[in-house]
Amino acid sequence: MALFISTFTNRLDRKGRVSVPASFRAALGDRAHLGVVLFRAHRHACLEGFEWSRMEEIGRRLEHFDLFSDEQDDLATAIFGESVHLHFDGEGRVMLPEDLIEYAGLGEQATFVGLGRKFQIWSPQAFAERKKAAHEQVRERRLTIPAGREGAE
Amino acid sequence: MALFISTFTNRLDRKGRVSVPASFRAALGDRAHLGVVLFRAHRHACLEGFEWSRMEEIGRRLEHFDLFSDEQDDLATAIFGESVHLHFDGEGRVMLPEDLIEYAGLGEQATFVGLGRKFQIWSPQAFAERKKAAHEQVRERRLTIPAGREGAE
DNA sequence: AACCAGACCATGATATCCCATAAATATCCA
DNA sequence: TGGATATTTATGGGATATCATGGTCTGGTT
């Protein structure tokens, strides 16, 4: 299973290129040549990315909404309509489209945050805030990892 | 199941490398090549770690949340975003990232404490304190280990 | 010509590999 | 039993590969 973990902040050069962390590329394994998919996160000013093959699964999950429902339409439009498929150059970089750079408010740097099966791209400052907020949520709402059958920990 | 027990203190060299106790590596068995996962402990100024396969398990459990749900996002940010995946070199060492060394206040030495399925890494001095406190808690509050539900696992 | 994306090459920093050593432990065998 | 020999561990250091980053060149489009 491809798991993106840790956070890395890399430089966004003036051509819009940024190195995807080597460990993220490694997580893709032999599917790295298929590239990744990026789109605007709905809830945050950041970008989200998946490995290409995960798009199919998203499609399947969307089926669980009523066909023609507003929700499905909205989500499909937001995800499929606005995603971009990016390939790595020889050095493991991708070129971020101008509008996505703007949406995430990226400047000279981009921080990649591994979230398991997906990852996010933030401006370092915005992510610092987000990190704090996430911790507070976890603490206040006492969020935990759902137990498996064997009652974890 | 990998069981980490006993405590060992090893040297942290100037490259940031430290030998993981041989018995810990042995506990990993044939999964040693997958490496371990480290992250900041929430409650103490130390690091915590477990074998890589537990991370995969967490990943699987997180899948049970709705995609793009706030809960999944918050948890993933707090857990995956802040962990690092470390591999052993030929001599059984790992390289601790600078920020983790700082968080745990490690100097020339690092003490590994086996806690069963997970282990911790402390500065020797900080652990001495912690040990005393833990003993007192156990004595004063007469803490015991709950009977297992058995069968599981 | 001006522009842009993509391929390619160059570089410094750093992580990783590989070998050497020393101490501790285990193993063997007379 | 004891004493010699091998293994395992922890540790250090130098060589090598990888990574992130910047730049250049080329071909296609406008």
Side-chain angles (χ1 to χ4, degrees):
Chain A
M1 169 168 50
L3 273 191
F4 305 110
I5 70 169
S6 303
T7 101
F8 306 86
T9 112
N10 288 339
R11 216 175 140 67
L12 185 63
D13 73 18
R14 105 192 45 144
K15 288 167 114 181
R17 298 179 299 184
V18 62
S19 287
V20 174
S23 74
F24 284 22
R25 271 144 44 207
L28 295 174
D30 54 9
R31 296 183 303 287
H33 72 280
L34 296 173
V36 293
V37 177
L38 279 194
F39 46 88
R40 295 166 165 82
H42 321 318
R43 298 177 148 81
H44 309 290
C46 73
L47 309 177
E48 301 207 326
F50 289 110
E51 65 173 299
W52 171 248
S53 56
R54 257 217 117 186
M55 280 314 256
E56 297 171 6
E57 187 188 331
I58 307 229
R60 247 179 288 121
R61 289 210 187 191
L62 275 181
E63 305 274 310
H64 295 143
F65 283 103
D66 293 337
L67 260 187
F68 310 118
S69 72
D70 287 342
E71 289 89 351
Q72 193 200 38
D73 226 58
D74 293 343
L75 272 174
T77 303
I79 299 171
F80 290 112
E82 304 201 48
S83 3
V84 291
H85 185 187
L86 302 179
H87 290 272
F88 298 109
D89 70 10
E91 285 70 41
R93 289 174 288 199
V94 291
M95 228 196 90
L96 302 181
E98 189 52 49
D99 58 325
L100 292 188
I101 291 177
E102 219 174 277
Y103 179 78
L106 300 179
E108 298 250 298
Q109 297 195 304
T111 104
F112 288 76
V113 184
L115 259 50
R117 309 277 312 259
K118 71 179 180 186
F119 61 89
Q120 296 179 333
I121 303 179
W122 292 80
S123 96
Q125 306 85 323
F127 179 64
E129 298 286 316
R130 163 68 189 139
K131 191 163 142 183
K132 240 192 306 177
H135 273 131
E136 276 165 23
Q137 282 295 308
V138 170
R139 190 165 346 102
E140 282 174 20
R141 303 176 56 187
R142 301 182 184 285
L143 294 178
T144 54
I145 309 278
R149 276 169 275 68
E150 22 91 303
E153 206 69 24
Chain B
M1 168 173 54
L3 268 194
F4 307 109
I5 63 168
S6 303
T7 102
F8 306 85
T9 113
N10 288 338
R11 209 175 143 68
L12 185 62
D13 73 19
R14 103 192 50 146
K15 286 175 161 184
R17 297 178 299 186
V18 62
S19 287
V20 174
S23 73
F24 284 22
R25 269 144 46 207
L28 295 173
D30 55 7
R31 296 184 302 288
H33 73 280
L34 296 173
V36 293
V37 176
L38 279 195
F39 46 89
R40 296 166 166 78
H42 310 313
R43 300 181 155 75
H44 308 289
C46 73
L47 309 177
E48 301 202 331
F50 42 64
E51 59 175 310
W52 170 249
S53 57
R54 285 201 77 191
M55 213 56 179
E56 295 186 324
E57 190 184 320
I58 292 177
R60 251 176 279 121
R61 291 182 186 179
L62 272 183
E63 300 277 304
H64 296 142
F65 284 101
D66 288 342
L67 261 186
F68 307 116
S69 73
D70 286 333
E71 289 86 358
Q72 191 194 46
D73 227 60
D74 293 335
L75 274 171
T77 301
I79 298 172
F80 290 116
E82 305 206 41
S83 309
V84 292
H85 185 188
L86 303 179
H87 286 95
F88 298 109
D89 69 9
E91 285 70 41
R93 289 173 288 199
V94 291
M95 231 201 80
L96 302 182
E98 189 54 47
D99 57 326
L100 292 188
I101 291 178
E102 221 174 274
Y103 179 79
L106 301 179
E108 299 251 299
Q109 298 195 304
T111 103
F112 287 77
V113 183
L115 257 49
R117 298 190 54 182
K118 68 182 181 184
F119 61 89
Q120 296 180 332
I121 302 179
W122 293 78
S123 97
Q125 307 84 323
F127 180 62
E129 297 285 315
R130 163 71 190 139
K131 197 161 135 184
K132 234 190 315 174
H135 277 141
E136 275 164 23
Q137 283 293 307
V138 171
R139 189 167 344 102
E140 284 172 20
R141 301 173 56 191
R142 301 178 183 285
L143 295 179
T144 56
I145 300 196
R149 289 180 282 328
E150 222 52 57
E153 201 124 353

